[in-house]
Amino acid sequence: MAEELGRAAEALAHRLAGLTADDWARDDPRLADPLLTVDFLTRHLLHDITHDLAEAVRRGVGDSRG
């Protein structure tokens, strides 16, 4: 699973690295909140990943303790 997560993280990083300034500021006109930009959603995603990873480490998920 760690290898799969690593590949997914690399793919996301590659995709994000290709975004322009306009891309980061883009929002979805279908959503009611214009503050939901690619920048905001990416920051929120990374924030959640950080917390989930910290929780997995705290619980020992993936090692002999888990």
Side-chain angles (χ1 to χ4, degrees), residues 38-58:
V38 172
D39 178 73
F40 173 83
L41 294 172
T42 302
R43 289 173 187 270
H44 188 73
L45 169 70
L46 295 175
H47 176 83
D48 282 352
I49 290 170
T50 301
H51 282 282
D52 291 345
L53 180 58
E55 180 67 15
V57 169
R58 186 184 69 77

Side-chain angles (χ1 to χ4, degrees), residues 18-50:
L19 296 178
T20 66
D22 287 341
D23 293 333
W24 286 104
R26 187 169 310 199
D27 64 350
D28 186 336
R30 298 172 296 181
L31 299 175
D33 189 344
L35 298 178
L36 295 177
T37 63
V38 172
D39 178 73
F40 173 83
L41 294 172
T42 302
R43 289 173 187 270
H44 188 73
L45 169 70
L46 295 175
H47 176 83
D48 282 352
I49 290 170
T50 301

